[in-house]
Amino acid sequence: MILTFGGKQIGQVDTNFFQHIKPLLNYWGLQWNENYDEIEPALYGQCYVISGLEQRDLESVKKLLKHTDVTIEENPSGVNITATISVSFVADQPVPIIVQTQNSKLLYITPAENTENAVQNIIHKNILCKRKSNHYSFSFRWREKEYIPEWISYLILQIGLSKTFSSLASISFGEFQTGINHILRSINPMLADLQCERETKKMKKPKIEPELKVPDTFIAAQPLIPVRSSPATVSRNKNLHNGPAINPFKNIQIPESTINPFKQKQGKTSTAINPFQPNTYTTRSSKE
């Protein structure tokens, strides 16, 4: 089937495959028009006034949600406002995101790691906000400031469209990526790049694991040596196996006649047992 958006053809996909991944559209701020058989913006008519953001970050939010037809403003205007959002940053906040609404408990949000492989979690980084209010306060931890435009975009999608979301449990990660590359990328490349970013980071984790297991491999190579938690013990065991410098039998094999004052005396008293020993000492005495 041929897919269109905004009156333009954006691609062609198998009909059954599209029906299978169609629930992704709402999470991206899109919807399917059954009457015209085309993809449409899903936030048309909604307006959010955001204060407390730097102009650069505010523009990024607008670009990420441009395809949804949502209105993002910094100051209230004459249009109907869906909700106002105040943004603040805290250095020592215990979690990355805290959402506060009137007469409700604080909502603590920790975005999911990029290594998650469940589409339901990674599509919005597990950022969930189904509360409906006229005003929201978003508090972000300062050290994650670079992610703020993306996170605010997901929060707005959650606030505006959570009622239309359906389960993504039947959609695999590969199907999710195919939908991004064949549908979303043609509509909003900026948002598509953020969604695909997870695949790149997801592939990096297995490369780190073998390096973390090196100490275990080293210890296992010496099964006959007791292993303790102390690093000094491991080092001592390694020297005992390979280092001849700490072999307790080596010192015994070295003759110490020059520093043993009793050796010559023993030789003189043993004349009756070894008749050749006195001659040896007599010779030495004559030379001296």
Side-chain angles (χ1 to χ4, degrees):
M1 63 181 295
I2 297 176
L3 298 177
T4 61
F5 176 79
K8 298 180 180 180
Q9 180 177 334
I10 62 171
Q12 187 172 355
V13 297
D14 178 78
T15 302
N16 292 331
F17 177 74
F18 177 74
Q19 293 297 326
H20 176 63
I21 68 170
K22 192 167 65 174
L24 293 172
L25 295 180
N26 294 129
Y27 288 86
W28 291 332
L30 301 167
Q31 62 186 5
W32 177 249
N33 189 318
E34 298 288 350
N35 297 325
Y36 295 95
D37 290 336
E38 67 177 2
I39 301 173
E40 292 182 338
L43 288 177
Y44 176 78
Q46 295 193 30
C47 175
Y48 296 87
V49 177
I50 304 177
S51 61
L53 271 184
E54 294 180 1
Q55 190 63 35
R56 180 183 58 182
D57 292 336
L58 185 66
E59 292 301 320
S60 295
V61 174
K62 291 180 180 180
K63 291 177 181 179
L64 287 171
L65 297 177
K66 182 179 180 180
H67 63 286
T68 69
D69 271 2
V70 68
T71 300
I72 303 292
E73 296 184 348
E74 189 173 7
N75 299 306
S77 62
V79 298
N80 293 328
I81 299 175
T82 305
T84 58
I85 300 171
S86 61
V87 177
S88 61
F89 300 91
V90 181
D92 56 351
Q93 188 166 284
V95 294
I97 305 172
I98 296 179
V99 176
Q100 183 178 9
T101 55
Q102 189 176 6
N103 300 325
S104 298
K105 293 182 179 179
L106 296 177
L107 179 61
Y108 297 90
I109 301 175
T110 300
E113 296 292 334
N114 289 327
T115 52
E116 291 285 344
N117 55 11
V119 176
Q120 190 74 56
N121 294 334
I122 65 177
I123 193 167
H124 283 175
K125 283 191 174 180
N126 206 32
I127 294 175
L128 306 176
C129 183
K130 298 182 179 181
R131 294 182 178 179
K132 300 301 177 183
S133 177
N134 294 326
H135 178 76
Y136 296 84
S137 295
F138 296 163
S139 178
F140 297 100
R141 194 159 56 188
W142 177 257
R143 65 172 177 262
E144 285 100 0
K145 188 177 183 299
E146 61 179 303
Y147 303 110
I148 302 308
E150 181 186 5
W151 291 354
I152 290 179
S153 299
Y154 295 151
L155 285 166
I156 290 177
L157 290 173
Q158 287 278 327
I159 294 170
L161 295 172
S162 60
K163 290 183 178 181
T164 67
F165 292 164
S166 56
S167 175
L168 304 178
S170 64
I171 299 177
S172 68
F173 186 81
E175 292 169 338
F176 171 62
Q177 292 294 313
T178 301
I180 292 172
N181 293 325
H182 288 80
I183 300 176
L184 182 60
R185 187 167 300 283
S186 299
I187 297 173
N188 190 327
M190 186 176 178
L191 180 60
D193 287 341
L194 290 176
Q195 296 277 284
C196 282
E197 196 177 71
R198 291 159 179 72
E199 183 178 25
T200 301
K201 293 182 178 180
K202 180 176 182 290
M203 298 303 293
K204 291 182 180 180
K205 187 177 180 180
K207 296 180 182 180
I208 299 175
E209 289 180 348
E211 297 179 3
L212 297 176
K213 293 183 179 180
V214 169
D216 295 336
T217 304
F218 172 76
I219 294 174
Q222 304 181 45
L224 299 179
I225 300 174
V227 178
R228 299 178 182 178
S229 59
S230 172
T233 304
V234 176
S235 176
R236 184 168 61 252
N237 289 339
K238 180 180 178 182
N239 291 332
L240 186 61
H241 183 71
N242 298 322
I246 61 172
N247 189 340
F249 300 98
K250 186 172 182 179
N251 294 331
I252 296 177
Q253 294 175 0
I254 299 175
E256 299 291 342
S257 59
T258 57
I259 60 172
N260 187 352
F262 300 101
K263 187 173 183 180
Q264 293 182 355
K265 182 177 180 180
Q266 291 176 356
K268 292 180 181 181
T269 56
S270 59
T271 304
I273 299 175
N274 188 353
F276 301 100
Q277 187 69 23
N279 293 335
T280 301
Y281 283 96
T282 303
T283 304
R284 289 182 179 178
S285 301
S286 61
K287 288 183 180 181
E288 292 177 354

Short mmCIF file of all heavy atoms in Angstrom, two decimals, residues 173-232:
data_model
loop_
_atom_site.label_atom_id
_atom_site.label_comp_id
_atom_site.label_asym_id
_atom_site.label_seq_id
_atom_site.Cartn_x
_atom_site.Cartn_y
_atom_site.Cartn_z
N PHE A 173 11.48 -5.41 18.03
CA PHE A 173 12.41 -4.30 17.88
C PHE A 173 12.74 -4.06 16.40
O PHE A 173 12.85 -2.92 15.95
CB PHE A 173 13.69 -4.58 18.66
CG PHE A 173 14.65 -3.42 18.69
CD1 PHE A 173 14.47 -2.38 19.58
CD2 PHE A 173 15.73 -3.39 17.82
CE1 PHE A 173 15.35 -1.31 19.60
CE2 PHE A 173 16.61 -2.32 17.85
CZ PHE A 173 16.43 -1.28 18.73
N GLY A 174 12.89 -5.13 15.64
CA GLY A 174 13.17 -5.00 14.21
C GLY A 174 12.02 -4.34 13.46
O GLY A 174 12.24 -3.51 12.56
N GLU A 175 10.79 -4.71 13.81
CA GLU A 175 9.63 -4.08 13.18
C GLU A 175 9.52 -2.61 13.56
O GLU A 175 9.13 -1.77 12.74
CB GLU A 175 8.36 -4.83 13.60
CG GLU A 175 8.29 -6.25 13.03
CD GLU A 175 7.18 -7.08 13.65
OE1 GLU A 175 6.75 -6.74 14.78
OE2 GLU A 175 6.77 -8.08 13.03
N PHE A 176 9.88 -2.31 14.78
CA PHE A 176 9.91 -0.93 15.24
C PHE A 176 10.89 -0.10 14.42
O PHE A 176 10.58 1.00 13.95
CB PHE A 176 10.29 -0.92 16.73
CG PHE A 176 10.57 0.43 17.32
CD1 PHE A 176 9.59 1.41 17.36
CD2 PHE A 176 11.81 0.72 17.85
CE1 PHE A 176 9.84 2.66 17.92
CE2 PHE A 176 12.09 1.96 18.42
CZ PHE A 176 11.09 2.92 18.44
N GLN A 177 12.09 -0.63 14.20
CA GLN A 177 13.08 0.06 13.40
C GLN A 177 12.65 0.21 11.95
O GLN A 177 12.89 1.25 11.32
CB GLN A 177 14.42 -0.69 13.47
CG GLN A 177 15.08 -0.66 14.84
CD GLN A 177 15.51 0.74 15.23
OE1 GLN A 177 16.11 1.46 14.46
NE2 GLN A 177 15.17 1.13 16.45
N THR A 178 11.98 -0.80 11.40
CA THR A 178 11.48 -0.71 10.03
C THR A 178 10.44 0.40 9.91
O THR A 178 10.43 1.16 8.93
CB THR A 178 10.86 -2.05 9.60
OG1 THR A 178 11.86 -3.08 9.68
CG2 THR A 178 10.34 -1.98 8.17
N GLY A 179 9.57 0.50 10.90
CA GLY A 179 8.57 1.56 10.89
C GLY A 179 9.21 2.94 10.95
O GLY A 179 8.75 3.88 10.28
N ILE A 180 10.28 3.07 11.74
CA ILE A 180 10.98 4.35 11.83
C ILE A 180 11.57 4.73 10.47
O ILE A 180 11.39 5.86 9.98
CB ILE A 180 12.09 4.29 12.89
CG1 ILE A 180 11.49 4.16 14.29
CG2 ILE A 180 12.98 5.53 12.82
CD1 ILE A 180 12.53 3.90 15.36
N ASN A 181 12.26 3.79 9.86
CA ASN A 181 12.98 4.09 8.62
C ASN A 181 12.07 4.27 7.42
O ASN A 181 12.42 5.00 6.48
CB ASN A 181 14.00 2.98 8.35
CG ASN A 181 15.12 2.96 9.38
OD1 ASN A 181 15.55 4.00 9.87
ND2 ASN A 181 15.58 1.77 9.74
N HIS A 182 10.90 3.62 7.41
CA HIS A 182 10.03 3.69 6.24
C HIS A 182 8.83 4.63 6.40
O HIS A 182 8.15 4.94 5.43
CB HIS A 182 9.51 2.28 5.89
CG HIS A 182 10.56 1.39 5.31
ND1 HIS A 182 11.48 0.74 6.09
CD2 HIS A 182 10.85 1.06 4.02
CE1 HIS A 182 12.29 0.02 5.31
NE2 HIS A 182 11.93 0.21 4.07
N ILE A 183 8.59 5.07 7.63
CA ILE A 183 7.45 5.98 7.86
C ILE A 183 7.91 7.26 8.54
O ILE A 183 7.82 8.35 7.97
CB ILE A 183 6.35 5.29 8.69
CG1 ILE A 183 5.83 4.05 7.96
CG2 ILE A 183 5.21 6.25 8.98
CD1 ILE A 183 4.82 3.24 8.76
N LEU A 184 8.40 7.14 9.77
CA LEU A 184 8.71 8.34 10.56
C LEU A 184 9.83 9.17 9.94
O LEU A 184 9.77 10.40 9.97
CB LEU A 184 9.09 7.94 11.99
CG LEU A 184 9.39 9.09 12.95
CD1 LEU A 184 8.19 10.01 13.11
CD2 LEU A 184 9.83 8.55 14.31
N ARG A 185 10.84 8.54 9.37
CA ARG A 185 11.96 9.29 8.83
C ARG A 185 11.54 10.23 7.70
O ARG A 185 12.10 11.31 7.54
CB ARG A 185 13.06 8.34 8.36
CG ARG A 185 14.34 9.05 7.93
CD ARG A 185 15.48 8.07 7.77
NE ARG A 185 15.78 7.38 9.01
CZ ARG A 185 16.44 7.90 10.03
NH1 ARG A 185 16.88 9.16 9.95
NH2 ARG A 185 16.67 7.20 11.11
N SER A 186 10.56 9.81 6.92
CA SER A 186 10.09 10.67 5.84
C SER A 186 9.24 11.82 6.35
O SER A 186 9.06 12.82 5.65
CB SER A 186 9.26 9.83 4.85
OG SER A 186 10.04 8.80 4.28
N ILE A 187 8.73 11.69 7.57
CA ILE A 187 7.85 12.73 8.14
C ILE A 187 8.62 13.68 9.03
O ILE A 187 8.45 14.90 8.94
CB ILE A 187 6.70 12.06 8.92
CG1 ILE A 187 5.84 11.22 7.95
CG2 ILE A 187 5.85 13.09 9.64
CD1 ILE A 187 4.77 10.40 8.65
N ASN A 188 9.49 13.16 9.92
CA ASN A 188 10.28 13.98 10.83
C ASN A 188 11.63 13.29 11.07
O ASN A 188 11.76 12.49 12.01
CB ASN A 188 9.54 14.21 12.15
CG ASN A 188 10.22 15.25 13.02
OD1 ASN A 188 11.44 15.39 13.02
ND2 ASN A 188 9.43 15.99 13.78
N PRO A 189 12.63 13.59 10.26
CA PRO A 189 13.95 12.94 10.41
C PRO A 189 14.59 13.19 11.77
O PRO A 189 15.31 12.33 12.28
CB PRO A 189 14.78 13.57 9.28
CG PRO A 189 13.79 14.10 8.31
CD PRO A 189 12.60 14.51 9.12
N MET A 190 14.34 14.34 12.36
CA MET A 190 14.95 14.68 13.65
C MET A 190 14.47 13.73 14.75
O MET A 190 15.28 13.21 15.54
CB MET A 190 14.62 16.12 14.02
CG MET A 190 15.31 16.62 15.27
SD MET A 190 14.95 18.38 15.54
CE MET A 190 15.83 18.67 17.08
N LEU A 191 13.18 13.48 14.81
CA LEU A 191 12.64 12.54 15.79
C LEU A 191 13.06 11.11 15.46
O LEU A 191 13.35 10.32 16.35
CB LEU A 191 11.11 12.64 15.85
CG LEU A 191 10.41 11.71 16.85
CD1 LEU A 191 10.87 11.98 18.28
CD2 LEU A 191 8.89 11.86 16.75
N ALA A 192 13.12 10.78 14.19
CA ALA A 192 13.52 9.44 13.76
C ALA A 192 14.95 9.14 14.21
O ALA A 192 15.26 8.02 14.64
CB ALA A 192 13.40 9.31 12.25
N ASP A 193 15.83 10.13 14.15
CA ASP A 193 17.22 9.92 14.58
C ASP A 193 17.29 9.60 16.06
O ASP A 193 18.09 8.77 16.49
CB ASP A 193 18.06 11.16 14.27
CG ASP A 193 18.34 11.32 12.79
OD1 ASP A 193 18.21 10.32 12.05
OD2 ASP A 193 18.69 12.44 12.37
N LEU A 194 16.47 10.26 16.87
CA LEU A 194 16.47 9.99 18.30
C LEU A 194 15.94 8.59 18.59
O LEU A 194 16.40 7.92 19.52
CB LEU A 194 15.61 11.03 19.04
CG LEU A 194 16.18 12.44 19.10
CD1 LEU A 194 15.18 13.38 19.77
CD2 LEU A 194 17.50 12.46 19.84
N GLN A 195 14.97 8.14 17.83
CA GLN A 195 14.43 6.80 18.03
C GLN A 195 15.44 5.74 17.61
O GLN A 195 15.61 4.72 18.28
CB GLN A 195 13.14 6.64 17.23
CG GLN A 195 12.01 7.55 17.65
CD GLN A 195 11.23 7.01 18.84
OE1 GLN A 195 10.43 6.10 18.72
NE2 GLN A 195 11.48 7.57 20.01
N CYS A 196 16.14 5.95 16.51
CA CYS A 196 17.13 4.99 16.02
C CYS A 196 18.40 4.99 16.86
O CYS A 196 19.18 4.05 16.80
CB CYS A 196 17.50 5.30 14.57
SG CYS A 196 16.27 4.73 13.37
N GLU A 197 18.62 6.05 17.64
CA GLU A 197 19.81 6.15 18.45
C GLU A 197 19.92 5.00 19.42
O GLU A 197 21.00 4.57 19.78
CB GLU A 197 19.76 7.48 19.22
CG GLU A 197 21.08 7.89 19.82
CD GLU A 197 20.98 9.25 20.49
OE1 GLU A 197 20.34 9.34 21.54
OE2 GLU A 197 21.52 10.21 19.94
N ARG A 198 18.82 4.43 19.83
CA ARG A 198 18.82 3.32 20.78
C ARG A 198 19.48 2.09 20.20
O ARG A 198 20.16 1.35 20.89
CB ARG A 198 17.39 2.99 21.20
CG ARG A 198 16.77 4.08 22.05
CD ARG A 198 15.25 3.99 22.04
NE ARG A 198 14.69 5.02 22.85
CZ ARG A 198 14.67 6.30 22.54
NH1 ARG A 198 15.21 6.70 21.41
NH2 ARG A 198 14.14 7.19 23.33
N GLU A 199 19.30 1.84 18.93
CA GLU A 199 19.87 0.64 18.33
C GLU A 199 21.39 0.71 18.36
O GLU A 199 22.06 -0.27 18.66
CB GLU A 199 19.39 0.50 16.88
CG GLU A 199 19.89 -0.78 16.22
CD GLU A 199 19.37 -0.94 14.81
OE1 GLU A 199 19.04 0.06 14.17
OE2 GLU A 199 19.32 -2.08 14.34
N THR A 200 21.96 1.89 18.08
CA THR A 200 23.41 2.05 18.08
C THR A 200 23.97 1.81 19.48
O THR A 200 24.93 1.08 19.66
CB THR A 200 23.80 3.45 17.61
OG1 THR A 200 23.27 3.64 16.29
CG2 THR A 200 25.30 3.62 17.57
N LYS A 201 23.36 2.42 20.50
CA LYS A 201 23.85 2.27 21.86
C LYS A 201 23.59 0.86 22.38
O LYS A 201 24.33 0.35 23.21
CB LYS A 201 23.18 3.31 22.77
CG LYS A 201 23.60 4.74 22.42
CD LYS A 201 22.96 5.73 23.37
CE LYS A 201 23.41 7.14 23.04
NZ LYS A 201 22.80 8.14 23.93
N LYS A 202 22.55 0.23 21.91
CA LYS A 202 22.22 -1.11 22.36
C LYS A 202 23.30 -2.11 21.95
O LYS A 202 23.60 -3.05 22.65
CB LYS A 202 20.87 -1.53 21.79
CG LYS A 202 20.40 -2.92 22.18
CD LYS A 202 19.02 -3.17 21.62
CE LYS A 202 18.50 -4.53 22.04
NZ LYS A 202 19.20 -5.63 21.40
N MET A 203 23.93 -1.87 20.78
CA MET A 203 24.92 -2.80 20.28
C MET A 203 26.28 -2.62 20.96
O MET A 203 27.16 -3.45 20.79
CB MET A 203 25.09 -2.61 18.77
CG MET A 203 23.83 -2.90 17.98
SD MET A 203 23.19 -4.57 18.25
CE MET A 203 24.50 -5.53 17.51
N LYS A 204 26.48 -1.57 21.73
CA LYS A 204 27.77 -1.32 22.36
C LYS A 204 27.97 -2.12 23.63
O LYS A 204 29.08 -2.43 24.01
CB LYS A 204 27.94 0.18 22.66
CG LYS A 204 28.08 1.02 21.42
CD LYS A 204 28.28 2.49 21.80
CE LYS A 204 28.42 3.35 20.56
NZ LYS A 204 28.61 4.76 20.90
N LYS A 205 26.91 -2.47 24.31
CA LYS A 205 27.02 -3.11 25.62
C LYS A 205 27.72 -4.47 25.57
O LYS A 205 28.60 -4.74 26.38
CB LYS A 205 25.65 -3.24 26.26
CG LYS A 205 25.71 -3.76 27.69
CD LYS A 205 24.33 -3.79 28.31
CE LYS A 205 24.41 -4.32 29.73
NZ LYS A 205 23.09 -4.36 30.36
N PRO A 206 27.39 -5.39 24.62
CA PRO A 206 28.07 -6.68 24.60
C PRO A 206 29.56 -6.58 24.42
O PRO A 206 30.30 -7.45 24.84
CB PRO A 206 27.42 -7.40 23.41
CG PRO A 206 26.09 -6.75 23.26
CD PRO A 206 26.33 -5.31 23.63
N LYS A 207 30.10 -5.50 23.81
CA LYS A 207 31.52 -5.36 23.60
C LYS A 207 32.25 -5.02 24.90
O LYS A 207 33.43 -5.25 25.02
CB LYS A 207 31.78 -4.24 22.58
CG LYS A 207 31.23 -4.57 21.20
CD LYS A 207 31.51 -3.44 20.23
CE LYS A 207 30.93 -3.75 18.86
NZ LYS A 207 31.19 -2.64 17.89
N ILE A 208 31.57 -4.51 25.88
CA ILE A 208 32.19 -4.12 27.14
C ILE A 208 32.25 -5.30 28.11
O ILE A 208 33.17 -5.42 28.89
CB ILE A 208 31.40 -2.95 27.79
CG1 ILE A 208 31.42 -1.74 26.84
CG2 ILE A 208 31.98 -2.57 29.15
CD1 ILE A 208 30.58 -0.59 27.34
N GLU A 209 31.30 -6.21 28.03
CA GLU A 209 31.19 -7.30 29.00
C GLU A 209 32.43 -8.19 29.07
O GLU A 209 32.87 -8.53 30.15
CB GLU A 209 29.95 -8.13 28.70
CG GLU A 209 28.66 -7.39 29.03
CD GLU A 209 27.45 -8.23 28.74
OE1 GLU A 209 27.62 -9.27 28.07
OE2 GLU A 209 26.36 -7.86 29.16
N PRO A 210 33.06 -8.60 27.93
CA PRO A 210 34.25 -9.45 28.05
C PRO A 210 35.37 -8.78 28.82
O PRO A 210 36.10 -9.42 29.53
CB PRO A 210 34.64 -9.66 26.58
CG PRO A 210 33.37 -9.51 25.83
CD PRO A 210 32.64 -8.43 26.55
N GLU A 211 35.53 -7.45 28.71
CA GLU A 211 36.58 -6.75 29.44
C GLU A 211 36.33 -6.78 30.94
O GLU A 211 37.25 -6.86 31.72
CB GLU A 211 36.66 -5.30 28.95
CG GLU A 211 37.06 -5.19 27.49
CD GLU A 211 37.10 -3.76 27.02
OE1 GLU A 211 36.88 -2.86 27.86
OE2 GLU A 211 37.36 -3.55 25.82
N LEU A 212 35.07 -6.73 31.34
CA LEU A 212 34.74 -6.75 32.76
C LEU A 212 34.97 -8.12 33.38
O LEU A 212 35.13 -8.23 34.57
CB LEU A 212 33.29 -6.33 32.97
CG LEU A 212 32.94 -4.90 32.53
CD1 LEU A 212 31.45 -4.65 32.69
CD2 LEU A 212 33.73 -3.89 33.33
N LYS A 213 35.02 -9.18 32.56
CA LYS A 213 35.16 -10.54 33.07
C LYS A 213 36.59 -11.03 33.07
O LYS A 213 36.86 -12.15 33.41
CB LYS A 213 34.29 -11.49 32.25
CG LYS A 213 32.80 -11.25 32.41
CD LYS A 213 32.00 -12.26 31.62
CE LYS A 213 30.50 -12.03 31.80
NZ LYS A 213 29.70 -13.00 31.06
N VAL A 214 37.53 -10.18 32.68
CA VAL A 214 38.93 -10.58 32.63
C VAL A 214 39.46 -11.07 33.97
O VAL A 214 40.11 -12.10 34.05
CB VAL A 214 39.80 -9.43 32.08
CG1 VAL A 214 41.28 -9.74 32.27
CG2 VAL A 214 39.51 -9.22 30.61
N PRO A 215 39.20 -10.36 35.09
CA PRO A 215 39.70 -10.86 36.38
C PRO A 215 39.19 -12.24 36.72
O PRO A 215 39.92 -13.06 37.24
CB PRO A 215 39.18 -9.82 37.38
CG PRO A 215 39.00 -8.59 36.55
CD PRO A 215 38.55 -9.08 35.21
N ASP A 216 37.92 -12.56 36.41
CA ASP A 216 37.38 -13.89 36.69
C ASP A 216 38.10 -14.95 35.89
O ASP A 216 38.38 -16.04 36.36
CB ASP A 216 35.88 -13.92 36.38
CG ASP A 216 35.12 -12.98 37.31
OD1 ASP A 216 35.63 -12.69 38.39
OD2 ASP A 216 34.03 -12.55 36.91
N THR A 217 38.40 -14.65 34.64
CA THR A 217 39.11 -15.61 33.79
C THR A 217 40.50 -15.88 34.33
O THR A 217 40.98 -17.00 34.35
CB THR A 217 39.20 -15.06 32.35
OG1 THR A 217 37.89 -14.77 31.90
CG2 THR A 217 39.86 -16.07 31.44
N PHE A 218 41.17 -14.85 34.80
CA PHE A 218 42.52 -15.00 35.33
C PHE A 218 42.54 -15.87 36.57
O PHE A 218 43.37 -16.75 36.72
CB PHE A 218 43.10 -13.62 35.66
CG PHE A 218 44.42 -13.68 36.38
CD1 PHE A 218 45.58 -13.99 35.70
CD2 PHE A 218 44.47 -13.46 37.74
CE1 PHE A 218 46.78 -14.05 36.37
CE2 PHE A 218 45.68 -13.52 38.41
CZ PHE A 218 46.84 -13.82 37.72
N ILE A 219 41.61 -15.66 37.47
CA ILE A 219 41.55 -16.45 38.70
C ILE A 219 41.20 -17.90 38.39
O ILE A 219 41.75 -18.82 38.95
CB ILE A 219 40.52 -15.85 39.67
CG1 ILE A 219 41.02 -14.46 40.13
CG2 ILE A 219 40.30 -16.74 40.87
CD1 ILE A 219 40.02 -13.71 40.98
N ALA A 220 40.30 -18.12 37.45
CA ALA A 220 39.89 -19.49 37.12
C ALA A 220 41.02 -20.29 36.51
O ALA A 220 40.99 -21.50 36.50
CB ALA A 220 38.71 -19.44 36.16
N ALA A 221 42.03 -19.63 35.96
CA ALA A 221 43.14 -20.34 35.32
C ALA A 221 44.04 -21.01 36.34
O ALA A 221 44.93 -21.76 35.99
CB ALA A 221 43.95 -19.37 34.48
N GLN A 222 43.88 -20.73 37.64
CA GLN A 222 44.68 -21.34 38.69
C GLN A 222 43.78 -22.04 39.68
O GLN A 222 43.60 -21.59 40.79
CB GLN A 222 45.49 -20.25 39.39
CG GLN A 222 46.37 -19.44 38.43
CD GLN A 222 47.17 -18.41 39.17
OE1 GLN A 222 47.74 -18.69 40.21
NE2 GLN A 222 47.20 -17.21 38.64
N PRO A 223 43.15 -23.16 39.30
CA PRO A 223 42.15 -23.79 40.16
C PRO A 223 42.71 -24.40 41.43
O PRO A 223 42.01 -24.59 42.39
CB PRO A 223 41.56 -24.87 39.25
CG PRO A 223 42.65 -25.17 38.27
CD PRO A 223 43.36 -23.86 38.04
N LEU A 224 44.02 -24.71 41.44
CA LEU A 224 44.59 -25.37 42.61
C LEU A 224 45.02 -24.40 43.68
O LEU A 224 45.39 -24.79 44.77
CB LEU A 224 45.80 -26.21 42.18
CG LEU A 224 45.51 -27.34 41.18
CD1 LEU A 224 46.78 -28.07 40.82
CD2 LEU A 224 44.47 -28.29 41.77
N ILE A 225 44.99 -23.11 43.37
CA ILE A 225 45.42 -22.10 44.34
C ILE A 225 44.21 -21.46 44.99
O ILE A 225 43.35 -20.96 44.28
CB ILE A 225 46.27 -21.01 43.65
CG1 ILE A 225 47.51 -21.66 43.01
CG2 ILE A 225 46.69 -19.93 44.63
CD1 ILE A 225 48.32 -20.69 42.18
N PRO A 226 44.07 -21.47 46.29
CA PRO A 226 42.91 -20.83 46.93
C PRO A 226 42.84 -19.36 46.57
O PRO A 226 43.84 -18.65 46.62
CB PRO A 226 43.19 -21.03 48.43
CG PRO A 226 44.18 -22.15 48.49
CD PRO A 226 45.00 -22.06 47.25
N VAL A 227 41.64 -18.93 46.22
CA VAL A 227 41.42 -17.54 45.81
C VAL A 227 40.67 -16.80 46.91
O VAL A 227 39.63 -17.26 47.36
CB VAL A 227 40.62 -17.48 44.49
CG1 VAL A 227 40.38 -16.03 44.11
CG2 VAL A 227 41.40 -18.19 43.39
N ARG A 228 41.19 -15.70 47.32
CA ARG A 228 40.53 -14.86 48.32
C ARG A 228 40.18 -13.52 47.71
O ARG A 228 40.62 -13.17 46.63
CB ARG A 228 41.44 -14.65 49.53
CG ARG A 228 41.80 -15.98 50.23
CD ARG A 228 42.74 -15.72 51.38
NE ARG A 228 43.13 -16.97 52.03
CZ ARG A 228 43.98 -17.03 53.04
NH1 ARG A 228 44.52 -15.92 53.52
NH2 ARG A 228 44.30 -18.20 53.57
N SER A 229 39.37 -12.76 48.43
CA SER A 229 38.91 -11.47 47.91
C SER A 229 40.01 -10.43 47.93
O SER A 229 39.93 -9.44 47.24
CB SER A 229 37.72 -10.95 48.73
OG SER A 229 38.11 -10.81 50.08
N SER A 230 41.08 -10.64 48.74
CA SER A 230 42.13 -9.63 48.84
C SER A 230 42.98 -9.63 47.59
O SER A 230 43.47 -10.67 47.15
CB SER A 230 43.02 -9.93 50.05
OG SER A 230 44.14 -9.08 50.05
N PRO A 231 43.19 -8.47 46.96
CA PRO A 231 44.04 -8.38 45.78
C PRO A 231 45.47 -8.83 46.06
O PRO A 231 46.12 -9.39 45.21
CB PRO A 231 44.00 -6.89 45.41
CG PRO A 231 42.74 -6.38 46.04
CD PRO A 231 42.57 -7.19 47.29
N ALA A 232 45.95 -8.59 47.30
CA ALA A 232 47.31 -8.99 47.63
C ALA A 232 47.46 -10.49 47.59
O ALA A 232 48.50 -11.03 47.22
CB ALA A 232 47.69 -8.46 49.02
#
